[in-house]
């Protein structure tokens, strides 16, 4: 399991657990499976997952509970996915592994009490929080898709041509319009590092009351190693703080990425777990 400096603050774990339960309800319905809740999207967009039921006080989750949710996900054509915080629901890992799923660990980090200085950027790059009608919005929505398709922190070959193609596709699919609506509704704040009228890096935070998660920060592979991810993260943190958010957290892909976020003032406090079908599961 990823290392944490000390036992997580129970009140912080509770605040983040309640945040995780609240966020999907904006665009999904919740189906009750006893110790588990399955969130099912009700429109186009990112699919959701199953999580531990908030404030459940009955028996612990069993492999049979997990299998019931898996059957429902298959029936709906949704991904077979579970997400939870290890320190909050320690018993769940054994149940999902007994049901045949593979568990992946991701460092969960929370912003410390002290602000870190914003990183310096090349003169030609500016970082902005984008409005719903920003001309750069399509490229800002597209950048993380390309970044996560080519994971890691090394410079890659995917650049401006692929970005333009991806932005056009996401406009046609309605993804850019969905983000624009969320920006208008105050459900999503999107920041981007811009150069020559296009986004080179983008990310978002999604506030619920006094808690928000920084998510989806991704840099165009050809533009990596320029400090853009840290700059976008700093802009999101500044926006959150300026708007009354007290708890800012994120999950990192791995320890290498977590080290980058430490430079922005984040510190590890728990472990996010994601369970998915094992690649060699029979029948796959």
């Amino acid at each position: 399991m990823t290392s944490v400096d000390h036992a997580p603050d129970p009140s912080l774990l509770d605040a983040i657990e309640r945040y995780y339960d609240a966020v999907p309800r904006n665009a999904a319905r919740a189906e009750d499976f006893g110790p588990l809740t399955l969130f099912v999207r009700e429109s186009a967009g990112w699919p959701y997952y199953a999580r531990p039921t908030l404030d459940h006080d009955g028996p612990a989750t069993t492999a049979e509970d997990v299998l019931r949710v898996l059957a429902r996900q298959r029936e709906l054509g949704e991904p077979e996915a579970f997400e939870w915080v290890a320190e909050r629901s320690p018993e769940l890992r054994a149940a999902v592994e007994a049901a045949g799923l593979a568990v992946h660990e991701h460092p969960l980090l929370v912003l410390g009490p002290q602000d870190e200085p914003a990183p310096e950027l090349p003169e030609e790059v500016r970082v902005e929080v984008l409005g719903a009608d920003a001309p750069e919005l399509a490229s800002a929505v597209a950048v993380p898709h390309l970044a996560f398709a080519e994971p890691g922190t090394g410079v890659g070959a995917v650049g401006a041509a692929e970005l333009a193609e991806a932005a056009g596709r996401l406009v046609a699919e309605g993804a850019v319009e969905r983000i624009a609506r969320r920006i208008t509704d105050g459900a999503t704040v999107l920041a981007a590092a811009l150069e020559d009228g296009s986004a080179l890096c983008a990310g978002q935070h999604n506030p619920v009351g006094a808690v928000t998660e920084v998510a989806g920060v991704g840099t165009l592979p050809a533009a990596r190693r320029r400090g853009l991810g840290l700059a976008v993260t700093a802009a999101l943190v500044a926006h959150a703080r300026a708007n009354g958010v007290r708890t800012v957290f994120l999950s990192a892909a791995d320890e290498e990425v977590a080290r980058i976020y430490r430079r922005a003032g984040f510190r590890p406090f728990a472990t996010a777990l994601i369970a998915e079908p094992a690649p060699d599961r029979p029948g796959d």
Side-chain angles (χ1 to χ4, degrees):
M1 185 173 292
T2 54
S3 61
V4 178
D5 294 338
H6 49 75
D9 177 358
S11 63
L12 180 58
L13 279 177
D14 184 69
I16 288 177
E17 189 70 13
R18 293 183 183 282
Y19 174 91
Y20 275 139
D21 181 79
V23 165
R25 296 178 187 272
N26 189 44
R29 71 177 185 272
E31 296 190 0
D32 181 15
F33 287 83
L36 297 169
T37 297
L38 173 61
F39 293 103
V40 181
R41 58 182 168 180
E42 296 194 301
S43 60
W46 291 106
Y48 289 101
Y49 37 74
R51 290 192 56 80
T53 297
L54 188 65
D55 295 330
H56 176 72
D57 58 1
T61 307
T62 66
E64 288 71 25
D65 295 319
V66 175
L67 290 169
R68 287 198 301 126
V69 175
L70 287 171
R72 178 59 173 158
Q73 288 172 322
R74 294 184 197 117
E75 178 186 356
L76 294 168
E78 295 293 312
E80 299 172 31
F82 294 73
E83 298 188 9
W84 72 101
V85 177
E87 292 79 359
R88 174 76 179 201
S89 304
E91 79 291 341
L92 184 51
R93 181 167 191 157
V96 299
E97 289 181 335
L101 300 181
V103 177
H104 309 282
E105 300 182 356
H106 302 277
L108 203 56
L109 300 96
V110 66
L111 189 66
Q114 299 297 322
D115 288 329
E116 298 293 316
E120 294 185 6
L121 290 173
E123 290 184 1
E124 66 274 13
V125 176
R126 70 185 194 278
V127 177
E128 295 183 3
V129 172
L130 301 184
D133 58 351
E136 305 92 351
L137 185 62
S139 62
V141 173
V143 159
H145 288 261
L146 298 178
F148 299 142
E150 190 175 319
T153 59
V155 177
V158 173
E162 292 84 359
L163 179 59
E165 180 183 354
R169 183 180 70 253
L170 292 171
V171 167
E173 293 174 355
V176 176
E177 182 182 357
R178 287 192 294 275
I179 293 295
R181 286 198 300 268
R182 289 183 58 85
I183 292 172
T184 299
D185 294 341
T188 289
V189 176
L190 190 149
L194 308 172
E195 183 180 53
D196 297 329
S198 183
L200 298 180
C201 175
Q204 58 187 250
H205 80 86
N206 303 288
V208 175
V211 181
T212 196
E213 180 182 20
V214 172
V217 178
T219 300
L220 190 68
R224 287 173 176 159
R225 303 288 180 134
R226 298 171 64 184
L228 303 183
L230 277 179
V232 166
T233 301
L236 293 168
V237 166
H239 182 279
R241 286 273 178 84
N243 286 274
V245 173
R246 295 193 299 271
T247 300
V248 183
F249 76 100
L250 58 82
S251 61
D254 51 37
E255 291 291 348
E256 180 181 9
V257 175
R259 284 195 293 271
I260 295 173
Y261 284 116
R262 285 176 187 256
R263 291 161 52 195
F266 287 84
R267 57 178 174 79
F269 82 98
T271 307
L273 299 182
I274 298 177
E276 301 171 319
D280 58 350
R281 188 178 69 179
D284 285 354

